[in-house]
Amino acid sequence: LTWGADPRDLDAHLQVPLLGGGRDEVFFGHRTSNDTLAFLDTDNTNGFGPEISHINQLLPNGSYTYYVNLFSGTGTFGSSPAVVNYESETQNVQMQATGAGENWIVGKIDVDALGNDVFTPIDTYGEAPANE
């Protein structure tokens, strides 16, 4: 996640399945998932980013949701502009924000039984997604 000078602080959130069941959310206040398979590597609070989230192991049949929270500042996601890059062994996707709101729901990563991942853009703005 990268962005411009304002909003000053955007926060990356990654909702993840847990190895032993259940779900977790990785963000500035909880930097490592309870099973340690996902973590927030970099948390920039003064504009421009980056914020970098890592998934050490994609869980088969798992579903991951990535969204960005506008934590502080006066600009919008679209005026910044905020950009998210998703990189895996099989995909490299770049999404640029165009809207405004408290949260930018960027996309979802679905993993099949063999561990293959598919990133699906959501690109909506509003409430934080439910972690389910």
Side-chain angles (χ1 to χ4, degrees), residues 19 21 23 31 39 66 79 83 86 89-90 95 103 110:
L19 187 58
R23 296 195 55 83
R31 293 178 70 114
F39 64 97
Y66 185 87
S79 69
V83 175
Y86 173 70
E89 292 180 11
T90 59
M95 302 260 315
N103 296 286
D110 290 305

Side-chain angles (χ1 to χ4, degrees), residues 1-125:
L1 166 65
T2 58
W3 64 95
D6 201 30
R8 188 183 79 234
D9 189 9
L10 298 181
D11 285 326
H13 288 251
L14 180 62
Q15 298 174 335
V16 301
L18 291 170
L19 187 58
R23 296 195 55 83
D24 204 355
E25 186 162 334
V26 174
F27 64 105
F28 74 93
H30 184 67
R31 293 178 70 114
T32 303
S33 64
N34 290 338
D35 60 8
T36 70
L37 294 181
F39 64 97
L40 178 66
D41 180 291
T42 306
D43 178 28
N44 185 297
T45 60
N46 295 311
F48 301 100
E51 297 229 346
I52 302 171
S53 300
H54 288 278
I55 302 170
N56 290 328
Q57 176 185 344
L58 291 168
L59 296 179
N61 299 313
S63 178
Y64 301 75
T65 302
Y66 185 87
Y67 74 96
V68 181
N69 174 259
L70 194 160
F71 190 76
S72 67
T74 58
T76 67
F77 291 109
S79 69
S80 179
V83 175
V84 167
N85 289 301
Y86 173 70
E87 297 175 13
S88 73
E89 292 180 11
T90 59
Q91 294 183 332
N92 188 357
V93 178
Q94 184 176 77
M95 302 260 315
Q96 182 169 333
T98 57
E102 184 178 342
N103 296 286
W104 173 30
I105 299 86
V106 178
K108 188 173 187 178
I109 305 156
D110 290 305
V111 184
D112 69 17
L114 300 175
N116 301 308
D117 62 303
V118 174
F119 179 88
T120 303
I122 297 174
D123 197 26
T124 61
Y125 303 83

